[in-house]
Amino acid sequence: MSGLWSCGQEHQCIRQSSAEYRRVASYKRDCQLHRRSVHVKSNGGISVRVVPDGQCLLPGSTCTLVIKPEKEVGTVVLVRLHLEARPGFPNLNWHCLDVQLKPRADAAEVEHFPCNKWIKTLDGDVELRSNRVCLLKEETLQILREHRARELQTKQQLIKWSTFAEGGIRCIDMTSSQSLGPNLSYTRQSPGTNLNYLRGFTDRAEPWSSLEELGILFIHNGKDNAVAKYVQAHWRDDAFFGYQCLNGCNPLQIRQIHSLPTNLPVTSEMLRDLLPVGSSLEQELERGAIFLLDYEILDQLPANVINGKQTYLAAPLCLLHYNQHGQLKPIAIQLQRTAGPQNPLFLPSDPEPDWLLAKMWVRNSDFQVHQLLSHFLRTHMIGEVCCVATLRRLPEIHPLHQLLMPHLKTCLQINIQARTSLLAPNGVFDKAIGCGLKAAQLLLARGTDQLRYTSMCVPDDLKERGLDKLANCYYAQDALRVWNALHRFVVSWVDLYYCSDQDIQQDCELQSWIQEIFTEGLLSFTHTGFPQSFQTTAELSKFVTMVIFSCSALHAAVNFSQVDFNLWIPNCPAVMSRPPPKVKGSVTEEELLSFLPDINSTCSVLTILLLLSQPAADYVLLCHYREQYFRSVDVCKLVETVQKELKAIAEDITERNSKMELPYPYLSPNNIENSVAI
């Protein structure tokens, strides 16, 4: 027998012989510094080992191995790779693409054993299986069932659960991204944003002297950003305030109501001039034209101390009306939870500084909720929970592992980096954001407790919040189209592997996966409505769609829009430097500036937002896959179908946006990254 290793064109013939094993591998690092060994193991338990000493496996090289066993090997079911450091040489990692075996020189069929990972000397034996993914029930050989179990046991020893915020969604037990190893790490090619100007303000722990000074900062950073310039021009307008609730960087907070909160003492008489002629507040509630922003989740959180000065948080209620012109406008704002003489109800008819300041407080509250809950919790942390459970409970040969990992694995590195930088002492939350580190921990715990599965599933969420029929809610329209395309893709994928609901129920690896997500990741909070098991193909399809959407489209909507809406600081201040007013008429137009964050904390926040909002130079579009699994005929057809659907959606969004003064591009599939990678 002979064997072939190659990183050139696959399937090329290096040597002909009467019985040939062909192995194809890619090398991203010189392997002549190591000693390699290869085992092939057959279904009859026969093992053959070869050590290809003397052959240099350079990047782009080809190496042929000839193996002549003493007796017939039979069907090869496992290939083991082993890497050993050689004395006197550096201990480097080796990247292997795959192994291909050919039983005879004239055989047409080639058996593929995918690897596509870095191999380290510490890994010991790395076992490869054929590229035919399968469920556990389809394993007919005990040796392969044992291989699945060994893989999961190894992963469970390496990948463990930890707690970042007590009472919050759990995370991986690693404090350094280096601990992930090369196969769960990635290098993001930054577009190279120049941040030297902003970093020049690091030592200016002082308030802004004027809006003109703030405008100079804006011009330097936003001169090429058409959306940010629109925001600067319209941030005072009530109609734009409402627009942001539907289509800004946090479209997840607004909801339709049919009765008023008991602690919001608004009457029809107060709002007479703001409602249609002849209508009343009760009628508008019944008609479904009243919406609410409620930031109760921020109530009583400790505000941060920045530059040695106390900052402040509020927990406002903001009532909005969707009028006959298709505009959503704020009509009443209360900044604290308990109504009373020192907690006035602000109205559009109040003096302009009072009303504008009340809206700034709402936007400040929205900033805290957006950053930690709509963004970090619902995309980053949900993705991390599903990734950790996938690594621990689904072997690589399981089809769901293959489908999900391209959408999940980048969550681990970026989240570890966030916890050890942005959310760590001396990070931006500590030094420049109103909620600070202590409140951030509490907010994540509250957010976990209030998280609902239905709110993560777009059709359910939009219907529950009354956004599914609003003509100018472009987030809702685009999110629903992308969700439906992903759902059709996932349903077809599920049908490839599960013929019936009984197949779902009997897949013990799948059931172990969802149980681990619920018990370990989501703390067994039954009131959240997340599934604890799967009984039907429909349940599985919905959950997998939710995971993919959250780690791609939802992240695009809440992350890549940040700079556009936050670059003009008065529109969305990360900090409020003075307490909420207790009476009306207490501030002037000139005094509004004193509520904004100091210069250095402003620039710290903008620096981070500019970094987070830039797509990578090498990002992968939604449902575009580089992994070998997606090249198989049946899966490839499904991928081609969903890519065509997403392309059509992108074309429709481009056409619509071309006619709009303020486009909504964030959920165009052309702008959606395949995973959370920033």
Side-chain angles (χ1 to χ4, degrees):
M1 293 183 178
S2 69
L4 162 72
W5 298 83
S6 166
C7 68
Q9 291 296 317
E10 297 185 9
H11 309 297
Q12 61 181 299
C13 183
I14 302 298
R15 178 179 304 166
Q16 298 289 333
S17 69
S18 59
E20 182 176 84
Y21 272 96
R22 179 174 293 184
R23 299 178 178 80
V24 181
S26 73
Y27 306 105
K28 295 185 179 178
R29 186 163 287 168
D30 189 341
C31 274
Q32 64 180 323
L33 307 181
H34 293 82
R35 178 181 293 110
R36 291 92 51 207
S37 66
V38 185
H39 289 75
V40 294
K41 194 162 187 177
S42 73
N43 55 353
I46 298 175
S47 178
V48 181
R49 179 174 185 265
V50 61
V51 181
D53 280 341
Q55 303 199 46
C56 296
L57 302 182
L58 301 171
S61 68
T62 297
C63 173
T64 300
L65 306 179
V66 178
I67 307 173
K68 295 183 177 180
E70 297 179 356
K71 56 182 177 179
E72 181 63 33
V73 171
T75 302
V76 174
V77 295
L78 285 177
V79 173
R80 288 179 181 157
L81 306 181
H82 189 87
L83 192 65
E84 297 177 11
R86 296 173 63 182
F89 290 93
N91 185 8
L92 302 178
N93 299 333
W94 168 44
H95 188 274
C96 173
L97 175 62
D98 72 356
V99 176
Q100 296 182 11
L101 283 81
K102 194 172 182 181
R104 302 184 313 276
D106 57 348
E109 183 177 349
V110 177
E111 185 77 4
H112 294 258
F113 289 74
C115 183
N116 196 25
K117 65 180 66 172
W118 291 95
I119 297 176
K120 303 176 294 183
T121 54
L122 294 177
D123 291 336
D125 289 338
V126 176
E127 297 180 329
L128 308 181
R129 293 186 45 151
S130 77
N131 63 344
R132 291 189 293 271
V133 299
C134 66
L135 305 177
L136 179 60
K137 70 169 189 174
E138 296 164 350
E139 297 282 27
T140 57
L141 298 175
Q142 184 61 27
I143 187 176
L144 295 182
R145 297 176 74 90
E146 292 171 354
H147 173 261
R148 292 174 89 107
R150 277 198 308 275
E151 179 193 331
L152 293 181
Q153 289 169 1
T154 300
K155 293 280 182 64
Q156 289 163 17
Q157 291 173 357
L158 296 173
I159 308 292
K160 297 180 180 179
W161 293 99
S162 184
T163 298
F164 174 65
E166 195 64 40
I169 286 179
R170 300 188 75 201
C171 60
I172 192 170
D173 186 17
M174 290 184 187
T175 56
S176 169
S177 56
Q178 291 184 342
S179 302
L180 290 170
N183 293 312
L184 291 174
S185 303
Y186 65 98
T187 301
R188 183 179 177 88
Q189 295 183 16
S190 169
T193 305
N194 189 339
L195 300 172
N196 291 329
Y197 174 80
L198 285 172
R199 287 170 175 159
F201 293 95
T202 302
D203 297 327
R204 290 194 60 184
E206 60 195 68
W208 294 96
S209 62
S210 66
L211 278 179
E212 288 71 27
E213 184 184 22
L214 194 56
I216 293 171
L217 177 84
F218 176 82
I219 290 172
H220 274 276
N221 292 283
K223 62 180 182 296
D224 298 323
N225 189 322
V227 176
K229 288 192 284 188
Y230 185 96
V231 172
Q232 185 194 31
H234 295 86
W235 73 282
R236 296 170 177 263
D237 301 346
D238 286 353
F240 181 65
F241 180 97
Y243 173 90
Q244 291 184 89
C245 299
L246 300 176
N247 304 303
C249 56
N250 185 21
L252 307 184
Q253 192 70 17
I254 186 81
R255 65 174 52 249
Q256 184 185 68
I257 60 172
H258 295 284
S259 61
L260 291 176
T262 57
N263 59 338
L264 189 63
V266 183
T267 65
S268 285
E269 184 64 24
M270 294 178 182
L271 306 177
R272 179 189 301 171
D273 296 336
L274 302 173
L275 302 178
V277 176
S279 186
S280 66
L281 180 57
E282 290 73 23
Q283 288 173 313
E284 293 303 294
L285 283 164
E286 185 178 353
R287 192 169 67 86
I290 303 298
F291 290 78
L292 181 69
L293 294 170
D294 188 347
Y295 297 94
E296 180 183 12
I297 200 166
L298 298 174
D299 191 31
Q300 302 299 314
L301 287 182
N304 204 359
V305 175
I306 298 174
N307 294 330
K309 296 177 288 188
Q310 181 64 55
T311 66
Y312 300 89
L313 294 172
L317 292 152
C318 176
L319 207 64
L320 302 99
H321 178 247
Y322 192 80
N323 64 28
Q324 59 269 40
H325 305 296
Q327 296 175 313
L328 183 68
K329 291 185 175 183
I331 56 176
I333 296 173
Q334 181 177 287
L335 297 182
Q336 302 293 3
R337 306 309 300 173
T338 304
Q342 294 189 320
N343 186 24
L345 194 63
F346 293 95
L347 304 171
S349 56
D350 290 335
E352 185 175 348
D354 284 348
W355 181 238
L356 185 56
L357 179 59
K359 290 189 293 182
M360 289 170 63
W361 271 106
V362 174
R363 297 294 299 153
N364 167 260
S365 298
D366 196 74
F367 183 92
Q368 320 301 321
V369 170
H370 165 252
Q371 293 298 337
L372 284 168
L373 303 185
S374 301
H375 182 191
F376 189 62
L377 181 75
R378 287 176 171 266
T379 66
H380 285 257
M381 296 194 74
I382 285 291
E384 182 174 0
V385 163
C386 294
C387 184
V388 171
T390 299
L391 291 169
R392 287 173 52 85
R393 295 298 173 181
L394 295 178
E396 292 179 17
I397 202 69
H398 196 288
L400 186 57
H401 182 112
Q402 295 294 323
L403 175 66
L404 286 182
M405 284 310 290
H407 300 284
L408 295 177
K409 71 176 182 179
T410 54
C411 287
L412 300 182
Q413 177 175 317
I414 197 65
N415 287 4
I416 291 171
Q417 291 171 342
R419 288 190 289 270
T420 55
S421 58
L422 306 183
L423 287 161
N426 297 316
V428 69
F429 273 86
D430 187 23
K431 296 297 186 180
I433 292 178
C435 64
L437 296 184
K438 184 176 180 181
Q441 297 269 326
L442 296 171
L443 187 52
L444 287 170
R446 291 182 185 183
T448 299
D449 183 66
Q450 295 184 19
L451 189 63
R452 298 295 181 268
Y453 180 49
T454 52
S455 73
M456 299 295 298
C457 301
V458 171
D460 300 333
D461 177 54
L462 297 179
K463 187 174 182 179
E464 284 182 1
R465 294 194 291 127
L467 305 184
D468 52 331
K469 295 182 174 63
L470 296 187
N472 63 342
C473 187
Y474 307 111
Y475 162 78
Q477 296 166 18
D478 298 351
L480 190 58
R481 290 193 67 183
V482 172
W483 171 280
N484 288 338
L486 291 174
H487 188 250
R488 285 188 288 270
F489 168 59
V490 173
V491 167
S492 298
W493 176 89
V494 168
D495 288 343
L496 284 181
Y497 300 100
Y498 298 96
C499 299
S500 66
D501 293 343
Q502 188 176 18
D503 288 344
I504 296 285
Q505 298 161 15
Q506 293 178 351
D507 185 350
C508 60
E509 292 172 336
L510 177 69
Q511 299 297 340
S512 176
W513 176 72
I514 189 59
Q515 186 178 35
E516 177 129 340
I517 289 173
F518 179 77
T519 58
E520 293 287 350
L522 301 174
L523 307 177
S524 298
F525 284 176
T526 56
H527 64 274
T528 63
F530 279 83
Q532 304 176 45
S533 64
F534 295 125
Q535 300 302 314
T536 66
T537 57
E539 291 174 358
L540 174 61
S541 297
K542 183 176 183 177
F543 188 85
V544 172
T545 303
M546 181 276 293
V547 173
I548 296 176
F549 182 89
S550 300
C551 294
S552 56
L554 181 59
H555 184 257
V558 300
N559 179 70
F560 295 114
S561 57
Q562 292 185 91
V563 162
D564 294 348
F565 291 94
N566 294 349
L567 194 56
W568 178 241
I569 290 296
N571 180 61
C572 200
V575 167
M576 294 298 265
S577 299
R578 291 176 57 184
K582 295 182 178 181
V583 294
K584 296 184 181 183
S586 62
V587 295
T588 64
E589 180 83 15
E590 292 72 26
E591 287 179 306
L592 293 179
L593 192 68
S594 65
F595 283 84
L596 297 180
D598 287 343
I599 294 174
N600 62 346
S601 58
T602 295
C603 294
S604 294
V605 170
L606 290 182
T607 297
I608 296 301
L609 294 184
L610 283 165
L611 287 172
L612 296 182
S613 296
Q614 296 298 316
D618 59 342
Y619 78 98
V620 180
L621 285 175
L622 177 60
C623 291
H624 284 66
Y625 302 99
R626 298 169 177 172
E627 292 77 11
Q628 186 173 351
Y629 164 73
F630 296 93
R631 299 173 197 162
S632 65
V633 176
D634 291 337
V635 176
C636 188
K637 288 179 180 177
L638 300 184
V639 171
E640 289 173 354
T641 298
V642 72
Q643 287 178 353
K644 288 178 182 177
E645 285 194 57
L646 293 172
K647 182 180 179 182
I649 294 171
E651 291 171 351
D652 289 347
I653 291 174
T654 300
E655 173 67 18
R656 178 199 69 199
N657 286 347
S658 68
K659 304 171 185 176
M660 296 167 60
E661 182 181 11
L662 184 59
Y664 185 80
Y666 309 107
L667 282 175
S668 170
N670 288 339
N671 297 323
I672 299 175
E673 203 163 355
N674 208 30
S675 64
V676 177
I678 188 63

